[in-house]
Structures are given as structure tokens and as C-alpha cells.
Amino acid sequence: MGAERDGQGVSPELDDLSSTLMGQAFDVLAEGAALDVILAVEDAMGHVASYTFADDSPEECLGGAREKVRFLARAHGDAAEKLGDPVRYALAYEGAVADERGAYQDAVLLEFGERGRTSFSAFSLVDGRGKGDGFAWTDPAPAGEVENLLG
């Protein structure tokens, strides 16, 4: 609990939001569909707005998702989505992570953060895309701190 109070921990609410988003990403990949950059933003009342970024290159989509978080913070939410001032966010996207041999493995990458706290990234290696129940993933592993898009 001490870490949570000093702005370094991950709250149960952020853990839930990011876990739910990661589960959605796994479901998409298990079905064999392309995983777009997906973003979930939550306000203090627990309202969640979801956004998908798909019409550009993966890098452009990721940049668009990050900018959307910044925009929502400046705009104090999104009335059309019934989202108040955002307090936490998570975004997930497809990528690859180098293993200890330098070979790249398919992965789902996650960035998540809360206003006033350290933001983090994580990844889960995935295998069996499009194989339904044969789809597998690893437990999320930390990938380091990232910029907090909410400040």
C-alpha cells in the first residue's frame, strides 16, 4: 500500500482495466483477426470509453492512441462517450519482443497509467493465432516505465 500512496504502485482499478483490455486483445488474436491498437480510458466514476485505431500504419495508430489520451485529459473527458475527466488508461497493440537469443517472438504490448502516478508497459508472448482454444499467452512481464499520458 505504501507504494500506491507515493504514486509508484498500480491501483486495483488500473490493474482491472489493463487486465480486461489484455483479455480483449487475446480474444481477437485467438479468433485470428488483426489486432488494432485498442485504448480504454476510465474516469473517477468508473465509466470506461473504448477506442480503436486502425486506419494507418501501426506506428501512426499507436501515436494516435497516445494523442487521444492527451486530448481527453485536456478536454476533461468525452461527453459523447459519457466519459468524465480521465483518471486511468490502458492501450494494447500487437508487436514483437526479442528473446534471450535475439529472435523476435509475437507479443501483445500494453501501456497503462493513472493521473499522478508512474506509468508502465508490459508484454505477453503469444502463440497459436487463430487457433481458438489452442491460442496461448504468457503471464504479462514488465517492460519498463513509459511517459504518463495523463500527467
Side-chain angles (χ1 to χ4, degrees):
M1 285 291 195
E4 262 187 58
R5 275 189 242 100
D6 68 12
Q8 300 304 310
V10 175
S11 72
E13 295 85 358
L14 181 57
D15 185 53
D16 185 50
L17 181 69
S18 56
S19 296
T20 298
L21 191 67
M22 199 72 141
Q24 291 170 352
F26 293 153
D27 289 345
V28 167
L29 293 175
E31 292 171 6
L35 177 62
D36 299 321
V37 175
I38 52 177
L39 168 66
V41 182
E42 187 173 5
D43 65 20
M45 300 300 293
H47 298 114
V48 177
S50 297
Y51 305 89
T52 302
F53 300 82
D55 294 333
D56 278 310
S57 70
E59 296 80 18
E60 295 271 337
C61 289
L62 183 56
R66 290 173 176 150
E67 183 51 39
K68 182 70 171 185
V69 176
R70 292 183 192 104
F71 172 80
L72 292 169
R74 289 190 305 270
H76 302 286
D78 182 344
E81 295 292 325
K82 297 182 176 33
L83 179 74
D85 205 7
V87 296
R88 67 190 59 88
Y89 68 93
L91 61 97
Y93 52 98
E94 201 169 356
V97 176
D99 66 16
E100 59 279 350
R101 299 180 313 270
Y104 283 89
Q105 305 292 320
D106 291 338
V108 172
L109 290 88
L110 180 74
E111 297 179 15
F112 52 100
E114 279 184 285
R115 185 178 303 282
R117 293 180 182 231
T118 303
S119 294
F120 300 98
S121 62
F123 68 92
S124 289
L125 300 178
V126 296
D127 187 51
R129 177 192 202 117
K131 295 186 177 175
D133 291 339
F135 179 77
W137 64 90
T138 62
D139 286 337
E145 292 181 16
V146 294
E147 173 190 0
N148 186 325
L149 303 174
L150 292 175

